[in-house]
Amino acid sequence: MSAAASPPLRIDRLRGQLEGLGLSHAATALEETLGEAVRANRAGHELLQSLIDLECSRRDARRVSTGLKLSNLPPDMTLGSFDFGFQPGVDRGQVETLATCAFVRERSNVLLQGPPGVGKTHLAVALGVKAVEQGFGVAFYRLEDLLHEMRKHADIPPARLRRKKH
């Protein structure tokens, strides 16, 4: 069977089905990805894999973006932007170990201590960003804000407080 005799592709139908399945990113990229696959003579499973990879990466990016917004973490404080050279007393290996978030999985605490200006807040925020990226929920409060929230809810019984959503 020649290429001219093969049935036409139903891109609109396929795009609609992708959208119906909730795969909106794949649906948006379908035509461009299909064009690239035809030009590169890629197999069908490679086309499908690239659409699924795109969908997964966009969903993950949206999940992280939403988690960061809900966390109230200050922006632009990541491990990549922390100047370890300026703070030689900070053990980079230990910070990278903390960035795996194993302490969160183990339900352990981490205490960052030191004089003002050594980067404790920056590291705490950066670890919070890593936790969000790994799927954990994070809530960032400055001490005065946390105390205010605690005073506001001081007369609510603990059982009711746990059910309260913010």
Side-chain angles (χ1 to χ4, degrees):
M1 178 182 271
S2 70
S6 63
L9 293 173
R10 297 190 178 172
I11 294 174
D12 291 336
R13 179 175 174 221
L14 182 55
R15 185 181 300 112
Q17 289 173 321
L18 288 169
E19 288 171 352
L21 290 170
L23 303 171
S24 59
H25 302 294
T28 301
L30 176 63
E31 200 164 340
E32 181 181 342
T33 306
L34 184 58
E36 290 171 8
V38 168
R39 284 189 294 280
N41 198 26
R42 291 173 49 207
H45 71 281
E46 292 175 351
L47 166 69
L48 183 57
Q49 186 64 61
S50 61
L51 286 172
I52 291 171
D53 288 345
L54 174 76
E55 184 71 32
C56 290
S57 68
R58 297 259 173 94
R59 284 182 181 204
D60 193 50
R62 185 177 60 215
R63 178 192 57 77
V64 170
S65 175
T66 300
L68 289 173
K69 286 177 190 168
L70 293 174
S71 71
N72 200 33
L73 286 165
D76 304 323
M77 290 188 185
T78 63
L79 287 180
S81 66
F82 186 78
D83 187 359
F84 286 94
F86 182 70
Q87 294 299 341
V90 176
D91 182 352
R92 180 183 223 130
Q94 189 174 27
V95 172
E96 288 173 354
T97 299
L98 290 171
T100 66
C101 294
F103 73 95
V104 179
R105 288 179 194 84
E106 296 166 0
R107 297 183 175 150
S108 297
N109 296 316
V110 172
L111 175 64
L112 303 176
Q113 65 179 12
V118 296
K120 297 179 300 292
T121 300
H122 189 134
L123 287 174
V125 170
L127 292 172
V129 170
K130 285 292 188 185
V132 169
E133 289 171 352
Q134 293 180 39
F136 294 103
V138 172
F140 179 83
Y141 288 93
R142 297 206 177 269
L143 180 59
E144 59 271 9
D145 297 334
L146 180 60
L147 291 173
H148 174 74
E149 284 295 311
M150 291 172 70
R151 283 187 201 107
K152 191 166 71 173
H153 301 297
D155 57 343
I156 298 174
R160 282 196 45 224
L161 192 57
R162 276 188 225 111
R163 290 189 295 256
K164 191 172 178 72
K165 301 278 183 181
H166 289 286

